[in-house]
Amino acid sequence: MTTQTTTRPPASTVKVADDEIVIRISRPAPADGGGSAAASGVVRDSRADRLAFAARVDSFAGVVMWHRYAEIYSLLQEQCAVAEADPASDVFGRVYDPLCKVAASYAAAAGVRQCTAERFVERAVACAERIPAVGGLLRDGLIPDAWFARVVEQTSLVDDLGLLALIDAEIAYRLAHVGGLSAARVEAVVAAVVAEHDPDAVTLTREQVRAYKKVIVNPLNEGMSELIITASAEDVRLAKQTLDAVIAGVCPKDPRTKQVRRSDAAMARLNGTAFTCQCGSDDCAAELSAEQIGARCARVVLHVVVREETLDGTADTPAVLDGFGPISAEHVREIAGRSDVVARDLDLGDLLDQQAQPGNAYRPVGHARYGGAWLVRDVHVARLRRTGVCCRP
C-alpha cells in the first residue's frame, strides 16, 4: 500500500510492504529573504509549507498506530484459536481469557499497566471488527489516535452489529467530508450519528452518567483547592451563562481575569456572600446590586431545538442542546417538563423565509422566569414541525 499526500512537491509518502513500513517525510527548508516580489512569494510559500509541516506531520503516526492495532489483533486471533483448539479448555474454566493474556504480554513489552494494555487491545478489536471504516481514517492520517479512541468509546454501547456497520460507515463518511476537524467536532459528529441511529445507546449512556453526579474537592498547592461539580448538561450550561452574567457587572478597572472573576462569582454564590468589584476605586462604576444582577440573569436563555413529535412522545428523534450537541428524546422530554421552560412552536418554512432576508435573522426569545434573588433563567424549547434545520441564534 502506498499513500501520498497532496502537498507541494516533493510530497511525503508512506509505503507499506510485508516486512517493512517506510515513511518519507519532506521537511521544508526555510527560504532566504529578499527584496523582490518573487523572493517575497517564495518566503510566503516556505512559511506555509513549514506551518503545514508543524501542524500535520503527526498524521503519519496514524498509519503506524493502525498497523500496531492490526498486529495486536492478529496475536489475539492466534490466542483465541489456541484456546478453542484445546479440548481441555472451556470458556468457563479458563483463568484468563485470550484478551487478558495478550494484554498482559503487551503490558510487559510496552512497559504499561494491565488496564492500559487491555484498553489498547480493545481498541485494536474495535479497529478490526466494530468500526473498520473509522479505522481506515486513522490509517490514512485523517484523524489521530486520540480521536479514534473517543469514537470507540462513543460507539461502545451499540450492540446490533448490523446497525453498528451502518453507524461506522456514516461516521467515516461525515468525518472524511466535513472539513476543519477538531476533537470537539469529531465528538459532535459521532454523537449525532449514534443518537440518530441508536437512541437506546445514548439513553443507556445518560442513565449511567446520571448516577455519577457528584462534587469533588481536590487540594492543590499554595492554599488552593479545586471544586469539580458533575451535573446535567443543561444545568451546567445555565450555570456557566449565569456566571458570565454576574461578572459582566464589574467595572473596567477590575484587575482580575475573566476566569478568576468566574471563580470568585461561583464561590460567592455557593457561600451566600456578595460578589464585588476589586478595582479599589472610589468612583467604581460596577453594577453588582441584587437587582442589577437579577436583571442580567433574567436574560440568560438556553435553546433546545427538537421536533414536535419527539416532545409528544410519538417519535424518538434526538434534539440539539445549544452549546452541547445532540441529546436523546428522553433527555429533551425531561427538560421540557421543567418549570422554567417555555415551548414555542416554530415552522421550518417561516424560519427559512426569515433567514433568507438580510437583517432579519431569527432570534429565539424565552419568556419563562426561574429563580431566586440572584438567578433568573430561561430554557427555551423550540419545536419544529419539519426536519432538517439547525436554529442558530
Side-chain angles (χ1 to χ4, degrees), residues 238-239 242-243 246 269 293-294 297-298 369-377:
L238 285 172
T242 299
L243 289 177
V246 172
R269 175 57 182 166
I293 292 176
C297 292
R369 296 295 184 257
Y370 166 89
W374 264 43
L375 304 183
V376 185
R377 311 171 179 169

Side-chain angles (χ1 to χ4, degrees), residues 258-393:
K258 194 170 187 178
Q259 292 286 22
V260 173
R261 293 172 190 169
R262 284 176 179 151
S263 175
D264 292 344
M267 290 298 99
R269 175 57 182 166
L270 290 173
N271 295 328
T273 58
F275 174 72
T276 58
C277 182
Q278 293 187 1
C279 67
S281 178
D282 294 335
D283 57 346
C284 177
E287 299 178 351
L288 295 174
S289 68
E291 294 76 13
Q292 291 168 328
I293 292 176
R296 288 194 300 273
C297 292
R299 294 191 292 270
V300 172
V301 180
L302 180 63
H303 302 287
V304 183
V305 181
V306 58
R307 293 183 60 178
E308 189 172 27
E309 52 267 33
T310 299
L311 282 186
D312 295 341
T314 57
D316 288 327
T317 305
V320 177
L321 176 63
D322 184 29
F324 179 80
I327 58 176
S328 66
E330 178 190 7
H331 190 175
V332 74
R333 285 194 282 265
E334 289 179 6
I335 295 177
R338 292 172 54 143
S339 60
D340 55 345
V341 166
V342 141
R344 180 180 177 185
D345 291 333
L346 302 174
D347 185 84
L348 178 57
D350 293 341
L351 288 179
L352 294 178
D353 290 341
Q354 293 181 27
Q355 290 177 339
Q357 299 173 6
N360 189 22
Y362 168 61
R363 296 290 185 270
V365 179
H367 300 289
R369 296 295 184 257
Y370 166 89
W374 264 43
L375 304 183
V376 185
R377 311 171 179 169
D378 291 354
V379 178
H380 178 94
V381 179
R383 297 188 294 183
L384 299 181
R385 296 197 181 109
R386 306 180 194 175
T387 59
V389 66
C390 179
C391 289
R392 298 190 178 185

Side-chain angles (χ1 to χ4, degrees), residues 29-43:
D32 296 330
S36 65
S40 299
V42 171
V43 171

Side-chain angles (χ1 to χ4, degrees), residues 210-232:
R210 186 185 300 159
Y212 287 96
K213 285 186 177 182
K214 58 184 177 292
V215 176
I216 298 177
V217 176
N218 294 324
L220 303 177
N221 53 11
E222 299 299 331
M224 301 288 287
S225 291
E226 179 182 58
L227 177 67
I228 302 175
I229 301 176
T230 305
S232 65

Side-chain angles (χ1 to χ4, degrees), residues 39-270:
S40 299
V42 171
V43 171
R44 285 195 299 270
D45 289 346
S46 174
R47 289 174 178 170
D49 290 340
R50 288 153 60 194
L51 181 62
F53 173 83
R56 295 296 300 158
V57 72
D58 63 338
S59 63
F60 291 98
V63 65
V64 177
M65 183 59 70
W66 188 88
H67 281 279
R68 289 177 61 190
Y69 285 149
E71 292 302 327
I72 285 294
Y73 180 74
S74 176
L75 291 172
L76 177 62
Q77 293 296 97
E78 293 174 5
Q79 190 66 47
C80 289
V82 170
E84 293 297 332
D86 186 1
S89 174
D90 63 87
V91 175
F92 301 102
R94 298 172 190 162
V95 178
Y96 299 106
D97 64 11
L99 189 147
C100 289
K101 290 183 179 180
V102 173
S105 300
Y106 175 80
V112 298
R113 299 174 62 182
Q114 176 71 16
C115 60
T116 302
E118 289 180 5
R119 285 195 296 268
F120 185 87
V121 178
E122 288 169 355
R123 290 198 298 272
V125 173
C127 187
E129 296 181 359
R130 291 180 58 83
I131 50 173
V134 179
L137 301 183
L138 173 69
R139 179 197 60 209
D140 297 339
L142 296 179
I143 60 173
D145 185 55
W147 297 359
F148 175 77
R150 284 296 296 132
V151 178
V152 174
E153 293 173 5
Q154 289 178 274
T155 57
S156 62
L157 295 176
V158 181
D159 297 326
D160 189 325
L161 295 183
L163 183 59
L164 179 61
L166 174 63
I167 291 174
D168 174 40
E170 184 163 350
I171 290 174
Y173 178 82
R174 292 193 188 184
L175 294 182
H177 293 83
V178 70
L181 289 179
S182 64
R185 178 168 290 186
V186 169
E187 289 201 17
V189 168
V190 176
V193 174
V194 174
E196 178 181 353
H197 293 288
D198 193 358
D200 291 338
V202 179
T203 302
L204 181 57
T205 303
R206 174 163 168 75
E207 292 173 350
Q208 291 177 336
V209 170
R210 186 185 300 159
Y212 287 96
K213 285 186 177 182
K214 58 184 177 292
V215 176
I216 298 177
V217 176
N218 294 324
L220 303 177
N221 53 11
E222 299 299 331
M224 301 288 287
S225 291
E226 179 182 58
L227 177 67
I228 302 175
I229 301 176
T230 305
S232 65
E234 63 273 15
D235 284 335
V236 171
R237 291 292 303 173
L238 285 172
K240 170 70 161 42
Q241 294 182 45
T242 299
L243 289 177
D244 287 341
V246 172
I247 68 174
V250 299
C251 79
K253 298 179 182 179
D254 189 289
R256 295 169 294 182
T257 64
K258 194 170 187 178
Q259 292 286 22
V260 173
R261 293 172 190 169
R262 284 176 179 151
S263 175
D264 292 344
M267 290 298 99
R269 175 57 182 166
L270 290 173

